[in-house]
Amino acid sequence: MEAHSHSVPNHHAHHRGFHGAFGLVAGVSFLFRRGPVAELAADLTGIGPDDHLVDIGCGPGAAVRVAVGRGASATGVDPATVMLRLGSIVTRSRRASYLEGTAESLPMPDASATVAWSLSAVHHWRDVDQGLAEVRRVLEPGGRFLATERQIRDASAPGRAGHGWTMPQAEAFASLCESAGLVDAKASSHSAGNSSILAVTAISLAPRGT
Ligand SMILES: C[S@@+](CC[C@H](N)C(=O)[O-])C[C@H]1O[C@@H](n2cnc3c(N)ncnc32)[C@H](O)[C@@H]1O
């Protein structure tokens, strides 16, 4: 990806993945901690009954369930089968589905979503440019894209203190959105529960190639 080396927004691109017992423990913890960010995503996108969401890196589906609760239909996509299984077990709606896939290869037809979001997951994408090309492909004209990450002060801080984005990293990601053909890309900061969250929003005017 092309962002400045000090602003790379996918610092977990080579994460070992959420498999086995580690994946199960992480997935269960995501079940209980992600409500405030999911509500923030729903508020920022204004998701409602006319929308179909693709949640990229959905984990066990907290934000899929919030979207469905607001009347939308939703497809959660994640490479980790343990996350998809947990999501399927705890989601009680015919308007929700879960598919195995990655940001770089979304298992969705062109122009099939009105909203795409990726919550605390862009930092795991292996190829940000390819992921954004896929976002543009699957969004309908006028579709809304949102990415959120926890706000951190120092990207080089060890452990959890360095786990998220600084504002320069969010701004670098917004620039990458524009390079990918999305428009009106903006970074902004918000509170969700006890966390400070950075959000990047953008619009797709037309699918790739049109
Ligand atoms: C920190 S979790 C966030 C899960 C969920 N979005 C939430 O907010 O609870 C990051 C998720 O990204 C997924 N992930 C990892 N690599 C990915 C990729 N290349 N494309 C999409 N998702 C990916 C992981 O499996 C994991 O479920």
Side-chain angles (χ1 to χ4, degrees):
M1 53 156 297
E2 300 290 324
H4 323 132
S5 57
H6 68 277
S7 298
V8 174
N10 61 338
H11 54 278
H12 270 179
H14 301 293
H15 187 272
R16 60 183 161 148
F18 293 97
H19 306 297
F22 166 74
L24 183 60
V25 170
V28 169
S29 88
F30 296 154
L31 278 178
F32 296 104
R33 294 194 285 124
R34 305 297 300 160
V37 170
E39 295 289 348
L40 175 67
D43 291 343
L44 288 175
T45 56
I47 199 162
D50 294 335
D51 286 312
H52 184 82
L53 166 73
V54 55
D55 183 339
I56 304 166
C58 62
V64 165
R65 289 183 290 284
V66 167
V68 164
R70 297 206 183 189
S73 57
T75 304
V77 173
D78 203 284
T81 51
V82 65
M83 297 290 179
L84 300 170
R85 280 202 202 108
L86 281 170
S88 301
I89 289 166
V90 300
T91 306
R92 301 259 170 256
S93 172
R94 293 205 180 137
R95 283 184 278 114
S97 59
Y98 291 93
L99 294 175
E100 190 171 345
T102 62
E104 297 80 5
S105 181
L106 291 172
M108 319 257 310
D110 295 359
S112 57
T114 58
V115 177
W117 69 40
S118 192
L119 312 180
S120 300
V122 171
H123 70 273
H124 283 273
W125 294 9
R126 286 180 191 269
D127 184 330
V128 173
D129 294 326
Q130 178 60 26
L132 288 172
E134 280 290 90
V135 166
R136 189 164 174 215
R137 180 182 69 77
V138 302
L139 277 177
E140 284 185 5
R144 293 99 80 200
F145 174 57
L146 166 72
T148 67
E149 293 284 345
R150 198 169 75 92
Q151 182 162 21
I152 56 169
R153 288 170 191 277
D154 176 3
S156 60
R160 187 167 157 75
H163 193 129
W165 285 350
T166 60
M167 183 52 100
Q169 287 179 311
E171 286 166 347
F173 183 71
S175 297
L176 291 173
C177 289
E178 299 247 347
S179 303
L182 300 170
V183 300
D184 211 14
K186 294 185 193 90
S188 54
S189 59
H190 306 269
S191 294
N194 295 327
S195 301
S196 297
I197 300 294
L198 291 177
V200 172
T201 52
I203 303 290
S204 179
L205 287 186
R208 187 175 58 184
T210 59

